[in-house]
Amino acid sequence: MDYVISILGPLLGGTLVTLKMFVITMALAVPAGLMLALARISHFKVLSGLVNIYIWLMRGTPLMLQMLFIYFALPFVPVIGVRLPDFPAAVVAFALNYAAYFAEIFRAGIQSIDRGQYEGAKVLGLTYSQTMRRIILPQMIRRILPPVSNETITLVKDTSLIYVLAMNDLLRAARGIVQRDFTTSPFIVAAAFYLIMTLILTWGFSRLEKRYAVFDE
Amino acid sequence: MPSSTNNPMINATDIHKRFGSVEVLKGVSLQMSKGEVIAIIGPSGSGKSTFLRCLNHLETINSGRIEIEGEVLASTTDNTCTYAPDAQVRSICRKMGMVFQHFNLFPHLTVLQNIIEAPMTVKGLSRDAIVPKAEELLRKVDLLAKRDSYPTRLSGGQKQRVAIARALAMEPEIMLFDEPTSALDPELTGEVLRTMRQLAEEHMTMLVVTHEMGFAREVASRVLFMDQGQIVEEGQADAFFASPEHPRTRAFLDNML
């Protein structure tokens, strides 16, 4: 027990890195995903085609490869090439990747709303953007909560990939101690930390689902 | 602009509409004056709902001309149909309220919120300005007690009455009804028809696609019979039902009554 307490410090430090990564990625990927979803269903063929290609690229290659590319290769790309420090590079990769997945969830949610809702809004004089904001998106949110919750939990665990850029997230912190002390118990503690984080998320999402269930269709 | 009261409320001329290769409207025309209540009847697939939906731009026409209170929504020259600019289309269509077969209430909003949504979002009215009016409309359709309920808690007839109140909240000049009682259990149609009858008595201009012959006979001033994308026969309601002239009308009415 004393041993567990002695390693809590570095593990909490790692958890902080993990959480920071998680929160910033969510804050960027959710709105970006919504924009991508709206672009994908738009009638501008060029725009929706470009988004299609983007989503294919992001879902079709490993997140770790995308992260390595942004960190190591992006500086040498002409015109858009920039050299990013490790944390921002990881954030950009995660946000771009998760935005693609969220976009598909949002698109499915938007397209699941009955045509009659658009017509009902249209005959009342609402514009397309008013219809989206006031009528379609609020109904969409309820339907996409379960898949979004899934994706969010995956993200918490995916953040462990940032170890390849030598950042001390929760898992890398645990591994460091394992290698130093020749014991695997830090892994158990790390697992407990992940479980607590996902438990809180699961609880939060089920609260949200209940709140949106008041108008149960 | 000349006084718009002299213009017919709806002036539709030679409307053609195709879905793919199927022509569902083959030259339908209608002139409707203020305060008229017109019922459109006909077998399913006759194009009556499509015609109604063309009038308020839920469908776009392939050729013909539509004027609402003298304002041109769509016109055709040299076989090309052109619509007014978007903003103008929206403002013309705002003269018309519509009630759907499947209500299309917003399920995430309460009854009151359903009614005040468009006046606030579209007309920019404040909540304080519109709520008393919304409550008055709810009283009129006898649903004030359901003010804070969500639509899912309502019966079909109640939903449809909310939908009527919601359309009226935008103060339309014309009300379009697309089979407003067709999705209702028979015992619930009465309450909706009563609300519509009340509206007719207040001289609202109403165009009603319906299968309710009783309503058409008693409330409508004029009846149109449509079949296969055309208006086969029309006339004053009494005369129309008493002595239909066209064999297809007779066959249809024999089936219905």
Side-chain angles (χ1 to χ4, degrees), chain B residues 151-164:
Chain B
T152 171
R153 300 267 169 262
L154 306 180
S155 72
Q158 292 172 330
K159 282 183 196 167
Q160 198 59 297
R161 285 184 284 148
V162 172
I164 293 172

Side-chain angles (χ1 to χ4, degrees), chain B:
Chain B
M1 202 174 148
S3 142
S4 62
T5 48
N6 298 331
N7 288 315
M9 296 298 269
I10 296 177
N11 191 358
T13 322
D14 199 24
I15 306 298
H16 287 260
K17 169 69 182 170
R18 277 188 309 276
F19 286 120
S21 60
V22 185
E23 192 168 37
V24 287
L25 296 178
K26 302 170 186 165
V28 177
S29 300
L30 169 72
Q31 275 211 4
M32 189 172 184
S33 4
K34 196 172 171 63
E36 259 196 301
V37 177
I38 297 183
I40 305 180
I41 61 172
S44 39
S46 58
K48 52 195 193 307
S49 283
T50 305
F51 176 59
L52 198 70
R53 292 165 57 83
C54 285
L55 294 177
N56 67 348
H57 198 236
L58 286 178
E59 305 286 354
T60 50
I61 61 174
N62 296 109
S63 74
R65 183 182 175 88
I66 300 175
E67 283 176 34
I68 307 296
E69 269 194 294
E71 289 187 62
V72 181
L73 178 70
S75 59
T76 303
T77 38
D78 301 333
N79 288 322
T80 356
C81 181
T82 38
Y83 272 85
D86 278 356
Q88 206 178 331
V89 166
R90 242 195 321 278
S91 89
I92 292 172
C93 289
R94 259 169 57 183
K95 296 173 188 290
M96 294 172 277
M98 185 164 192
V99 174
F100 299 88
Q101 181 178 356
H102 294 290
F103 329 123
N104 297 345
L105 292 180
F106 306 132
H108 62 301
L109 302 178
T110 63
V111 164
L112 183 76
Q113 288 168 340
N114 260 279
I115 294 175
I116 65 177
E117 176 61 42
M120 287 175 66
T121 310
V122 178
K123 287 188 170 172
L125 294 178
S126 73
R127 216 189 133 82
D128 291 342
I130 188 65
V131 165
K133 169 137 192 270
E135 288 176 337
E136 186 192 313
L137 284 167
L138 277 175
R139 202 172 296 122
K140 183 167 161 177
V141 298
D142 204 16
L143 282 172
L144 191 56
K146 298 286 181 186
R147 181 184 188 276
D148 298 314
S149 303
Y150 284 94
T152 171
R153 300 267 169 262
L154 306 180
S155 72
Q158 292 172 330
K159 282 183 196 167
Q160 198 59 297
R161 285 184 284 148
V162 172
I164 293 172
R166 180 176 76 171
L168 291 175
M170 287 300 280
E171 302 181 318
E173 305 280 327
I174 305 163
M175 283 287 284
L176 308 177
F177 292 84
D178 187 7
E179 302 196 24
T181 57
S182 297
L184 300 178
D185 293 333
E187 74 269 25
L188 299 178
T189 58
E191 58 190 70
V192 172
L193 294 178
R194 215 166 326 157
T195 303
M196 290 169 63
R197 184 180 310 235
Q198 191 188 340
L199 212 53
E201 281 160 8
E202 292 163 15
H203 307 293
M204 173 59 85
T205 309
M206 294 163 68
L207 186 54
V208 186
V209 169
T210 186
H211 290 291
E212 294 289 331
M213 294 305 133
F215 177 81
R217 187 203 301 255
E218 287 158 37
V219 181
S221 41
R222 200 145 52 102
V223 180
L224 309 186
F225 173 67
M226 275 183 79
D227 192 21
Q228 294 172 15
Q230 285 172 319
I231 295 178
V232 176
E233 184 169 350
E234 64 174 288
Q236 301 300 310
D238 303 335
F240 181 91
F241 283 104
S243 53
E245 278 168 20
H246 201 284
R248 269 191 282 172
T249 317
R250 255 179 262 150
F252 176 77
L253 289 177
D254 282 347
N255 260 328
M256 293 298 291
L257 301 172

